[in-house]
Amino acid sequence: MSLQGKCAVVTGGSRGIGRAVCLELADQGADLLLNYAGNREAAEETAALCREKGVRAEIQQGDVSRAEDCSALFGQAAELYGRVDILVNNAGITRDTLLLRMSEEDFDRVLEVNLRGAFLCMKQAARLMVRQRSGRIVNMSSVVGLRGNAGQVNYAASKAGLIGMTKSLARELAGRGVTVNAVAPGFIGTDMTEGLSDGVKQAILASIPAGRLGLPEEVARAVAFLAQDGSGYITGQVLCVDGGMAM
């Protein structure tokens, strides 16, 4: 269970689940290139924490919904490390409101980042991994993509679409030594959930069989499991890390 000598690209890696993923991969020996959208300070902090674990870690700013930014990200990874062994598509945004209030701009932007961004990154990674005849792609979906959620039509569509892309690309790349899987977190204790009211939090907890919010580290361990060489016979799957919500 080691990622020693591997190179991982993690999008949206500066904080929350993305930071936890970076730290877990670093714990297991992977060198990292983490993408961030705007918070350079948080990205630098995450990279510094990874370096303390004895690995190389660099950052690259970019909007994953832009093809040129994705191309630059993977060009940088190839220049720094000579290969890309792991891609974690974690970058994502929310713009929540009920459908009748949702603007076309908010619908489009969520799909641009969450779905188009993953598509662009997978396309870049697949080119490298097919040549290597090895690689691990892990897409960050959500329990909302499986169950839906009021006020999140755009987000649910993006996360459900990501599962469809995961399964389709898994079929395309299975014979080339490349696996493609998704992790579907439930409600995880992050900055986003910290902003919820007590009433909303209680309603959420009542819907979780485990009776608690998940930890970013628990999601990160699931990602690291799928990134291992030993997980090479697992592809096209959705691993729910949700305390039983999607049962």
Side-chain angles (χ1 to χ4, degrees):
M1 296 291 287
S2 171
L3 297 174
Q4 199 75 36
K6 304 288 187 182
C7 165
V9 173
V10 181
T11 69
S14 62
R15 54 202 176 112
I17 291 174
R19 173 175 287 186
V21 168
C22 289
L23 293 176
E24 181 65 27
L25 296 180
D27 264 335
Q28 298 193 26
D31 294 321
L32 291 140
L33 177 59
L34 67 98
N35 150 270
Y36 69 99
N39 192 336
R40 183 179 182 87
E41 183 178 353
E44 289 281 16
E45 184 178 344
T46 300
L49 291 169
C50 291
R51 293 185 198 111
E52 289 175 5
K53 299 176 183 295
V55 302
R56 294 179 65 188
E58 303 296 337
I59 66 171
Q60 174 120 346
Q61 191 274 337
D63 177 350
V64 294
S65 71
R66 293 167 53 90
E68 55 268 38
D69 287 8
C70 291
S71 178
L73 177 66
F74 284 86
Q76 178 76 343
E79 183 177 331
L80 287 169
Y81 303 119
R83 58 188 293 117
V84 173
D85 301 290
I86 301 159
L87 165 63
V88 182
N89 275 313
N90 175 72
I93 63 170
T94 58
R95 291 190 178 176
D96 299 347
T97 190
L98 296 175
L99 174 67
L100 295 179
R101 299 174 184 164
M102 186 175 291
S103 68
E104 293 179 18
E105 291 77 13
D106 283 350
F107 181 86
D108 290 344
R109 186 56 184 156
V110 169
L111 266 70
E112 283 172 2
V113 175
N114 298 6
L115 194 58
R116 174 182 164 84
F119 159 75
L120 292 171
C121 288
M122 287 194 293
K123 192 170 183 178
Q124 291 286 334
R127 287 195 180 104
L128 298 171
M129 292 176 177
V130 164
R131 287 201 295 268
Q132 296 166 185
R133 298 197 70 81
S134 67
R136 300 284 180 265
I137 297 174
V138 184
N139 294 320
M140 198 65 68
S141 183
S142 169
V143 67
V144 172
L146 296 167
R147 297 183 55 188
N149 196 38
Q152 291 192 305
V153 165
N154 49 4
Y155 186 75
S158 70
K159 294 303 185 178
L162 193 51
I163 290 172
M165 286 205 305
T166 295
K167 291 179 177 291
S168 298
L169 188 59
R171 290 182 179 274
E172 292 182 21
L173 300 183
R176 307 296 183 91
V178 181
T179 67
V180 189
N181 292 289
V183 172
F187 284 97
I188 307 300
T190 62
D191 291 344
M192 189 182 299
T193 53
E194 283 299 314
L196 299 174
S197 69
D198 288 341
V200 171
K201 285 182 183 178
Q202 289 305 314
I204 290 171
L205 290 173
S207 71
I208 303 172
R212 66 173 178 86
L213 298 181
L215 300 174
E217 292 78 12
E218 292 173 310
V219 180
R221 290 183 200 114
V223 171
F225 165 71
L226 292 171
Q228 298 287 342
D229 285 344
S231 299
Y233 204 55
I234 302 171
T235 196
Q237 302 304 307
V238 182
L239 177 54
C240 294
V241 184
D242 62 1
M245 286 186 70
M247 286 192 295

